[in-house]
Amino acid sequence: MNLSSLKTAQRQGSLDPVTLEVIRNALPAISDEMSVDLQRTSYNMMIYEVRDYCTALLDADGALISQNIGGVSHFVADLGVIVIDAVARYGRDGFAPGDVLLHNHQATAGQHLNNVVVYTPMFYEGELLAFAMVRAHWVDVGGLSTGFGAGWRAYDPWSEGLQLDQIKLYEGGVLDEKLLRLIRDNIRFPDNAMGDMRSQLAACRLGERRFKELLDRYGKSVVLDAIQAFYSETEAKCRAAVAEIPDGVYRAASHIDWRDGRYDIKVELTVSGSDMTIDLSGCSPEREGGANSRTFAGAYIAYKAITTPLEPLNEGAFSALKVIIPEGNMMMARYPAYMSGWSMPLPTVVDTILLALAKAIPERIPAAHSGSLGAALSFSGRDPARNKSFVVMSIESGGWGGRCDADGQDASMSVCQGDVRNAPIENIELKGPVLVEERAVRPDSGGPGQFRGGLGVHTRIRSLVSGRLNVASGSGGRVSCPPWGLAGGKPGQIAATLVKAPGDDEFHESADQRPVWPADTRVAYMTAGGGGWGDPLDRDPERILRDVREAYVSAESARDDYGVVLSAGNGDIDLAATNELRARLRKGAIRQ
């Protein structure tokens, strides 16, 4: 339905403005209520603490009707493809009330196998109208998947874990007991995973009930017409935002590091009137055992951020966007290229798209953020004191880039992650035999600038028993491509993961990922800071003094990067010395 048809429908009385607004708010509310239900009933920390999930309604064609506020944003591009694949496989008539499907297969979903989708068809008056869907991170799906997935240890999808390809766990409301046993028998934490699966199913059933209530109240034609109207309105708002960007072709490049070397991220972005094309053809090709994914998520997230970041999400948000990613590209890898590292490139793709747009709308584009989904804190094994298996997980956040009028946010999750957060220290220590010895912002990690980059995080844990620890170096951000600054700002510090096992003299990067680390092993996760925006010598000295007092910036960095000289004990600013030093630094910069 276009805007003209919408106005006609409104004149005819089928979509009066009040009804339209009620339905407009009711649909996201359904997804939000599904989210609350999932979070409160789930079993694993990645769902109820970290919130690594999304809840959504999709129409029968796979178009997104609504997604929960704060839902993991890099999931948005890979929900509709699952519905389209299922309809192609089973046909429109191949679903029945009471069906429950499971899916995580990389040929379609394009992610690591831990991200398991549970979804149900929604019927009204015998007609398939929509699907309720929940994607959530299971702590284990067999293979090498325990924790955050196999990462760089896997070499194909089978080594990564259990593949679920449009499996009907329930058909017409009847549970397939044999299939359920098969799944349970191939994962390490079956009670945990089955609890999460039931939680996902309950959220889907809730979505079905609420959607049916809406149809009962307003009628099928009114609700479906309203949904089409929302798609059109959202597209129009996005087009209006793009139309304000100067026409042109904008390019930018960066890269990420993986176990087998460098992966190039190259963006060509074209703006023509209200149309935008994001071309990622220049990214590295897929590699066996590489940082592969199969998703439009990076382009979608960047587009949403620069068009309607505060608007509810539906399919119309991407109708005016054209994304070009050829088959065989690292961002459109072909099965069986394994995808356990699927999320690694996404934050950098978003940053690089924004970097390209910095040439067109510099006042709206921040410096680069930490460039990672966060440091993956993971510890699992068996607790002899409790005679029970355990898995402890958290995501440690990084810094965001400075902006033209503000510092970057400290200790914040990636632009790809919605309301994902770290796990509280108390819960980490409650769930497993581990001590969190430190969690603090990381001084000097933010890139110097007139508006400095946000700070990363330094988290240190100590294991109390032997077990599997994630010590993969660099899991908290780019390594050889630091978070870049803009408008004269300097880059933020890169991430590092250091380990100190019993007998080691000091913390160091680990050359291997041991199957088991002994008790009393310490791991330090240090995430990257954001890049700075603007010349550091233009930063207000009073803000530097405050940063030093708060231990965000060292006195050495205040002097060397910002040209601010502090008195003994850092009690005040030596204004005369500061002016002299800044003049020398500016003169030296001009000569260079």
Side-chain angles (χ1 to χ4, degrees):
M1 176 181 285
N2 56 34
L3 291 179
S4 176
S5 300
L6 171 61
K7 292 177 181 177
T8 300
Q10 289 176 329
R11 285 196 301 271
Q12 294 172 348
S14 61
L15 277 178
D16 64 90
V18 173
T19 300
L20 198 65
E21 285 306 306
V22 171
I23 298 174
R24 185 194 311 279
N25 289 278
L27 292 169
I30 294 173
S31 297
D32 291 339
E33 190 175 0
M34 291 169 63
S35 169
V36 172
D37 190 59
L38 175 75
Q39 188 180 3
R40 294 184 64 181
T41 60
S42 57
Y43 278 53
N44 93 69
M45 295 174 67
M46 286 300 291
I47 299 177
Y48 66 76
E49 288 289 6
V50 176
R51 300 184 184 181
D52 191 357
Y53 66 83
C54 74
T55 55
L57 301 178
L58 293 93
D59 68 24
D61 295 317
L64 182 69
I65 297 173
S66 65
Q67 181 175 320
N68 64 303
I69 294 175
V72 175
S73 48
H74 61 236
F75 287 170
V76 66
D78 308 308
L79 299 177
V81 292
I82 294 173
V83 169
I84 293 169
D85 180 69
V87 171
R89 178 171 305 189
Y90 293 110
R92 287 267 184 165
D93 299 328
F95 302 94
D99 284 357
V100 178
L101 292 94
L102 304 181
H103 190 77
N104 70 348
H105 202 274
Q106 292 170 338
T108 305
Q111 305 184 5
H112 68 179
L113 297 176
N114 295 70
N115 291 340
V116 177
V117 174
V118 175
Y119 69 107
T120 60
M122 297 193 289
F123 288 83
Y124 189 76
E125 298 176 348
E127 181 183 359
L128 175 64
L129 293 185
F131 291 87
M133 184 174 288
V134 178
R135 170 177 269 136
H137 183 113
W138 288 15
V139 297
D140 186 272
V141 287
L144 296 168
S145 67
T146 301
F148 288 94
W152 49 263
R153 295 172 296 160
Y155 48 88
D156 61 22
W158 295 272
S159 65
E160 186 181 342
L162 188 63
Q163 301 175 75
L164 306 169
D165 189 6
Q166 303 291 8
I167 299 297
K168 284 191 177 184
L169 183 64
Y170 287 77
E171 290 198 63
V174 178
L175 172 66
D176 187 332
E177 296 280 1
K178 295 187 295 298
L179 177 59
L180 186 65
R181 288 200 303 272
L182 177 66
I183 296 172
R184 287 185 60 95
D185 289 346
N186 282 277
I187 54 181
R188 296 177 182 84
F189 301 90
D191 292 338
N192 188 305
M194 295 301 98
D196 289 338
M197 184 183 70
R198 291 192 298 270
S199 179
Q200 289 175 267
L201 175 55
C204 288
R205 294 297 189 215
L206 175 61
E208 290 182 54
R209 293 197 304 273
R210 294 291 184 258
F211 191 65
K212 183 177 183 298
E213 290 168 2
L214 200 63
L215 294 165
D216 287 340
R217 182 173 181 180
Y218 295 104
K220 180 176 71 173
S221 63
V222 171
V223 173
L224 296 185
D225 284 350
I227 290 171
Q228 293 301 316
F230 301 150
Y231 294 164
S232 296
E233 290 180 355
T234 300
E235 178 183 348
K237 291 178 181 178
C238 292
R239 285 189 175 278
V242 172
E244 296 179 357
I245 302 173
D247 285 359
V249 178
Y250 306 100
R251 299 179 178 87
S254 63
H255 64 272
I256 65 167
D257 308 280
W258 192 243
R259 65 176 181 181
D260 58 347
R262 166 174 164 158
Y263 284 74
D264 290 320
I265 307 294
K266 295 183 178 179
V267 172
E268 181 176 284
L269 187 150
T270 303
V271 176
S272 177
S274 64
D275 293 321
M276 179 180 289
T277 300
I278 297 176
D279 188 346
L280 298 176
S281 301
C283 295
S284 292
E286 67 187 18
R287 299 182 196 170
E288 183 177 352
N292 305 306
S293 63
R294 186 175 181 84
T295 180
F296 288 150
Y300 279 17
I301 293 166
Y303 182 81
K304 176 67 173 169
I306 61 176
T307 53
T308 56
L310 302 181
E311 292 284 329
L313 189 61
N314 62 55
E315 194 68 24
F318 311 112
S319 297
L321 172 67
K322 181 180 180 181
V323 182
I324 300 174
I325 311 178
E327 291 285 333
N329 186 289
M330 63 180 286
M331 305 302 298
M332 196 55 62
R334 296 162 296 189
Y335 183 81
Y338 101 106
M339 301 178 191
S340 183
W342 83 284
S343 62
M344 285 296 295
L346 293 180
T348 301
V349 170
V350 176
D351 268 348
T352 310
I353 293 171
L354 296 180
L355 178 62
L357 281 170
K359 303 175 180 66
I361 45 175
E363 72 286 350
R364 292 180 54 192
I365 303 300
H369 75 323
S370 59
S372 165
L373 299 187
L377 185 162
S378 178
F379 179 39
S380 61
R382 189 154 189 91
D383 185 353
R386 301 180 182 179
N387 193 28
K388 183 179 180 181
S389 296
F390 68 89
V391 57
V392 173
M393 302 174 68
S394 179
I395 297 177
E396 301 303 292
S397 52
W400 279 48
R403 296 161 284 172
C404 68
D405 58 357
D407 292 345
Q409 292 293 316
D410 303 321
S412 293
M413 291 298 176
S414 160
V415 68
C416 296
Q417 288 176 286
D419 279 345
V420 166
R421 59 190 186 183
N422 59 25
I425 292 172
E426 296 83 359
N427 219 341
I428 291 174
E429 296 181 341
L430 178 67
K431 296 296 182 180
V434 61
L435 290 178
V436 180
E437 297 183 326
E438 180 181 8
R439 177 186 272 164
V441 293
R442 186 182 174 196
D444 289 337
S445 56
Q450 180 181 1
F451 298 100
R452 67 164 173 81
L455 302 178
V457 171
H458 182 182
T459 300
R460 187 175 71 252
I461 65 172
R462 177 165 67 92
S463 65
L464 301 181
V465 301
S466 61
R468 296 180 292 274
L469 281 159
N470 179 28
V471 299
S473 184
S475 66
R478 293 179 288 259
V479 178
S480 63
C481 182
W484 53 82
L486 283 179
K490 297 183 179 181
Q493 286 190 12
I494 64 171
T497 299
L498 307 178
V499 62
K500 183 180 179 184
D504 290 341
D505 295 329
E506 57 186 21
F507 282 91
H508 60 91
E509 289 191 349
S510 175
D512 65 335
Q513 182 77 301
R514 300 183 194 174
V516 176
W517 290 85
D520 203 35
T521 296
R522 289 173 165 84
V523 184
Y525 301 95
M526 296 181 289
T527 64
W533 197 99
D535 190 337
L537 300 180
D538 291 332
R539 186 168 177 81
D540 184 350
E542 291 293 337
R543 301 189 73 167
I544 294 294
L545 177 61
R546 182 199 64 185
D547 284 346
V548 172
R549 287 174 173 173
E550 296 290 340
Y552 296 161
V553 173
S554 66
E556 292 76 18
S557 177
R559 179 190 64 243
D560 298 340
D561 294 315
Y562 294 96
V564 174
V565 181
L566 303 178
S567 62
N570 301 328
D572 206 349
I573 300 166
D574 186 331
L575 193 57
T578 293
N579 290 336
E580 179 184 352
L581 176 57
R582 283 189 160 183
R584 289 204 314 270
L585 291 174
R586 290 183 196 278
K587 186 175 180 180
I590 292 172
R591 286 179 175 174
Q592 291 176 6

